[in-house]
Amino acid sequence: MPPGGRPDDRGGGGELSTPRLRRDTPERAGLDPAQLARAVADTHALTAGEHPWAAGAVVAVGRGAVLAVEEAAGWAVRYASCDPRTGTGVELAAGDRVPATVGTPFDLASLTKLFTAVAAVQQIERGTLGIDAEVGAYLPDFRGAAAHRVTVRHLLTHTSGLRPELPLYDRPGREERLALLRAEQPSGPAGAYRYSDLNMLLLQQVLERVTGRTLDVLVRDGITRPLGMTATRFGPCPDAAATEDQRRPWAKADRGMVRGVVHDENAWALGGVAGHAGLFSTARDLAVFCRALLAGGSYGPARILGPDFVELLLAEPGLGFALDQPWFMGELAGRGAAGHTGFTGTMLVLDRATDTFAVLLANTVHPRRRPPDNGPRATLCTRLARAVRAAPGAG
């Protein structure tokens, strides 16, 4: 279906559907089972021991319409709090812990940006949004961006010159927080890459102004509902994996153990719906999202983007998506692999060259944030790349 959910009649003799994902063996997916077995073992190892990489994790790997791996490990909720003296977690009693399952929703953190980007490209496809139009044409009251002639393309490619973040959470109310964003001016030249949450916050404002609908409605009606992604939504999400025991000074707000509401402090300050963070989802739902993009924007009878606009989304330099980044894509990087990571421990990567995808959801910030270790993300993608190369008949 096109954005909004109406059937798309392509006039092709009734062949409107693309194959839906099915759970099957690595061999049926054209993947080497030994490499994927190692990926599963890696996932369990990441959640084991006294100080694991993550309390819990879920991995999903597939090729074509086959979901070849779907595995959960560890705990959705393991700790009651973080001991500020030692910086380590205070463990819950065994009976009070919540195991991670393949159906556990995780806080996606910056993977939310990918959905905001798709929602924007849907409006570009419809003609209601111009990719090279100036933000000031849609948001004249956002004086900083308007004065510097920031464009929609700048926002989607992180080339606006805006600084990485803004302490909206320190302002007392929503209007005061948005006033800070309206006044924010780029601190660097447009055209140079500088990753910034503010880009997607501004893009959210553009989309809501253009469509008259809030971002959560745009994502639901244009992406998750047509694709049948029933577990993907903005919070609250009470059954989600826990994230952080947020306290100052290591966090930016004093909120206690966070579960079921967004971890990111700015998204929380804006009510949980933000262009850069706020979505919760499961590995299976994200596998569907990957499959739809790999299939040119279609999944089953639904269409969320036309193939030309998927190409616009995923072609160099990528709109919202990062391309060919070995630091988290490992050996999958190099021929146009696209994806993103999230601060809470999440990752999504799809590779059109091999028709493969990898999803890793984890709560690495439970019970407290720490310096990021992207090795496990890169390792998973490398396992997938090698599973393609080592598959029988791969040549």
Side-chain angles (χ1 to χ4, degrees):
M1 297 179 188
R6 294 192 177 186
D8 174 31
D9 182 3
R10 303 181 198 177
E15 294 181 5
L16 299 178
S17 292
T18 58
R20 296 178 184 271
L21 274 179
R22 68 181 190 278
R23 186 75 167 89
D24 213 326
T25 64
E27 292 89 343
R28 290 290 183 89
L31 297 170
D32 176 50
Q35 287 292 337
L36 296 193
R38 292 189 183 104
V40 168
D42 291 343
T43 304
H44 284 277
L46 292 173
T47 64
E50 188 176 355
H51 301 294
W53 180 76
V58 180
V59 63
V61 173
R63 188 178 196 185
V66 176
L67 180 61
V69 169
E70 187 180 24
E71 184 85 8
W75 305 95
V77 186
R78 176 173 173 174
Y79 303 100
S81 63
C82 179
D83 184 339
R85 296 168 300 171
T86 64
T88 59
V90 177
E91 302 240 18
L92 289 163
D96 293 329
R97 298 180 191 176
V98 179
T101 71
V102 294
T104 298
F106 283 76
D107 182 332
L108 297 187
S110 284
L111 297 194
T112 303
K113 293 180 172 75
L114 304 183
F115 289 81
T116 305
V118 170
V121 175
Q122 287 177 333
Q123 296 306 316
I124 293 168
E125 182 177 20
R126 285 183 165 186
T128 56
L129 183 66
I131 190 169
D132 290 312
E134 293 183 11
V135 169
Y138 305 109
L139 302 173
D141 50 326
F142 281 68
R143 302 181 304 280
H148 287 260
R149 308 189 70 177
V150 171
T151 68
V152 171
R153 189 187 298 273
H154 288 145
L155 300 181
L156 282 164
T157 56
H158 293 285
T159 55
S160 66
L162 290 164
R163 57 173 155 164
E165 64 174 352
L166 198 60
L168 305 179
Y169 48 83
D170 276 343
R171 292 298 177 100
R174 180 178 176 83
E175 187 51 43
E176 290 81 1
R177 293 160 186 160
L178 288 177
L180 197 63
L181 185 61
R182 290 189 190 101
E184 181 67 12
Q185 299 191 34
S187 58
Y193 181 83
R194 189 184 192 189
Y195 182 81
S196 172
D197 287 348
L198 304 188
N199 290 315
M200 293 302 171
L201 280 170
L202 269 178
L203 188 58
Q204 173 189 2
Q205 299 301 316
V206 170
L207 290 171
E208 292 183 346
R209 190 74 60 89
V210 164
T211 65
R213 294 185 289 169
T214 56
L215 181 64
D216 55 331
V217 173
L218 291 171
V219 169
R220 182 195 67 203
D221 291 353
I223 305 172
T224 60
R225 181 185 286 167
L227 296 181
M229 297 171 61
T230 57
T232 304
R233 61 189 184 277
F234 286 93
C237 185
D239 55 341
T243 53
E244 186 176 27
D245 180 9
Q246 285 198 349
R247 306 189 214 178
R248 298 178 193 264
W250 63 76
K252 301 166 188 172
D254 292 300
R255 300 168 61 196
M257 184 60 73
V258 177
R259 185 186 183 198
V261 292
V262 62
H263 171 269
D264 181 90
E265 292 92 344
N266 273 343
W268 165 70
L270 293 171
V273 177
H276 71 293
L279 276 175
F280 293 80
S281 189
T282 61
R284 173 67 71 98
D285 264 21
L286 292 182
V288 169
F289 181 66
C290 290
R291 182 65 206 138
L293 294 177
L294 287 168
S298 297
Y299 184 78
R303 180 181 75 81
I304 60 168
L305 282 175
D308 290 347
F309 290 89
V310 174
E311 179 65 27
L312 175 67
L313 185 75
L314 300 180
E316 185 69 36
L319 303 183
F321 286 77
L323 303 185
D324 289 328
Q325 299 295 311
W327 60 272
F328 76 91
M329 297 179 182
E331 294 178 13
L332 209 57
R335 292 186 293 173
H340 216 288
T341 64
F343 184 77
T344 50
T346 58
M347 179 193 73
L348 174 160
V349 175
L350 56 94
D351 181 31
R352 292 187 291 168
T354 58
D355 199 22
T356 58
F357 61 84
V359 174
L360 180 62
L361 300 182
N363 51 353
T364 58
V365 298
H366 183 52
R368 177 178 167 177
R369 68 187 70 191
R370 63 187 111 172
D373 173 9
N374 291 296
R377 295 176 169 117
T379 296
L380 173 61
C381 292
T382 293
R383 298 280 191 216
L384 177 54
R386 294 178 181 179
V388 172
R389 294 199 297 266

